[in-house]
Amino acid sequence: PRSRLRLRQEQCCRWAMKVSLLQPVVVLCACWNCSARGENALPHLSFWREPPLPLEPALTPELVREQPGMDYVQCLATGIVSRVLSGRSLDAELAATWANEPALGSQPRGAVQDLSYGVLRHLGYLDGVLGQLLQQPLTDAPVRHLLLVALYQLSHTKAQAYTIVNHAVPACAKLGFPRAQGLVNAVLRNFLRRRTEIDAKVHATDEGHYSYPRWWINKLAASFPGDYQRILAVSNVRPPLTLSTCPVR
């Protein structure tokens, strides 16, 4: 009876399984009382077993390198942003980074690319935020660009704020500026405390609201006086993602 089967399942402490792929599997009790019944032992459970999943590969140094910490991703993005702002091409710098980091996995590659594109896309807003947080301009460009990367993460990504700050501080040391770790920590935490106030001040300016340089805003305003604001707003919207399948293959 079913009630007897449930009672036996609750009382038994060991199990023996007869396994056959894609065949009904009979689970028999292996405790002393049931094992005395031998082949006539009461089945506890019958089910269909699916084929086993492939085993994951062993952790090798190459696979460990595929999943670097956030601080390593921040350092790579900081270097790309620094070189692009000095006049180089973003696509060329990304290609050079992938060539120099052949063991970098797809997930950290996507994170580096998103941070690089995101900082450059919202550079006007991020510059305005950083200007509100600094009492005087930074002389070390890598520290400034690291702050831009971390501020983009805090304002435009879903990563936890404490994780971003905790990784940005050691990333500053890895970039060769250990003395600026306290500054990075203070600036980012100050932004978290005053975010609403700072956002209001930055969005009050066209450069901060649209994230475009003043010369481009003036040019659009002169060419399209009635539509330039809508053009600037639409230009910051992420394009839709479309997937298509090829039934021939």
Side-chain angles (χ1 to χ4, degrees):
R2 183 168 297 182
S3 60
R4 182 182 177 188
L5 177 60
R6 287 183 178 178
L7 180 62
R8 181 71 63 83
Q9 290 176 353
E10 294 175 358
Q11 292 177 348
C12 294
C13 57
R14 294 191 302 163
W15 302 83
M17 299 180 62
K18 294 182 178 180
V19 177
S20 178
L21 292 180
L22 296 178
Q23 296 294 330
V25 178
V26 179
V27 182
L28 301 176
C29 178
C31 68
W32 182 82
N33 291 329
C34 295
S35 61
R37 294 176 176 266
E39 294 296 330
N40 296 323
L42 180 65
H44 283 8
L45 182 63
S46 296
F47 60 93
W48 288 88
R49 177 174 178 177
E50 299 293 338
L53 296 175
L55 296 177
E56 295 183 359
L59 287 178
T60 61
E62 290 77 11
L63 292 178
V64 173
R65 183 84 177 276
E66 285 185 299
Q67 300 179 354
M70 183 184 291
D71 52 347
Y72 188 70
V73 172
Q74 290 171 332
C75 289
L76 291 179
T78 299
I80 293 174
V81 170
S82 297
R83 292 187 291 273
V84 171
L85 292 180
S86 66
R88 300 184 184 179
S89 168
L90 176 58
D91 291 338
E93 289 305 316
L94 287 173
T97 301
W98 308 152
N100 294 331
E101 302 287 339
L104 201 64
S106 58
Q107 184 173 357
R109 280 193 182 196
V112 171
Q113 182 168 323
D114 176 70
L115 295 181
S116 303
Y117 272 95
V119 170
L120 297 173
R121 182 186 299 115
H122 301 281
L123 186 59
Y125 166 79
L126 298 173
D127 271 336
V129 170
L130 195 55
Q132 294 290 329
L133 295 170
L134 295 175
Q135 297 180 354
Q136 55 185 3
L138 287 173
T139 58
D140 298 321
V143 178
R144 178 182 178 83
H145 298 152
L146 174 62
L147 286 171
L148 293 177
V149 170
L151 288 172
Y152 169 76
Q153 288 181 287
L154 291 174
S155 57
H156 292 88
T157 68
K158 297 180 180 179
Q160 295 293 333
Y162 69 89
T163 305
I164 297 171
V165 177
N166 289 345
H167 284 85
V169 173
C172 185
K174 291 182 179 180
L175 290 173
F177 300 90
R179 295 185 178 181
Q181 291 182 98
L183 173 65
V184 171
N185 182 68
V187 168
L188 297 180
R189 295 189 182 277
N190 192 19
F191 171 72
L192 293 175
R193 288 191 299 267
R194 303 170 50 205
R195 180 170 182 174
T196 304
E197 170 196 349
I198 292 175
D199 278 347
K201 292 182 179 179
V202 173
H203 283 288
T205 64
D206 287 340
E207 296 92 330
H209 184 69
Y210 296 112
S211 287
Y212 281 100
R214 169 51 60 183
W215 67 268
W216 179 247
I217 296 175
N218 293 338
K219 187 173 183 179
L220 284 180
S223 302
F224 308 96
D227 298 323
Y228 80 96
Q229 293 179 336
R230 185 171 57 87
I231 295 174
L232 292 171
V234 171
S235 299
N236 286 323
V237 177
R238 287 176 178 263
L241 176 63
T242 303
L243 298 177
S244 60
T245 59
C246 182
V248 178
R249 295 183 179 179

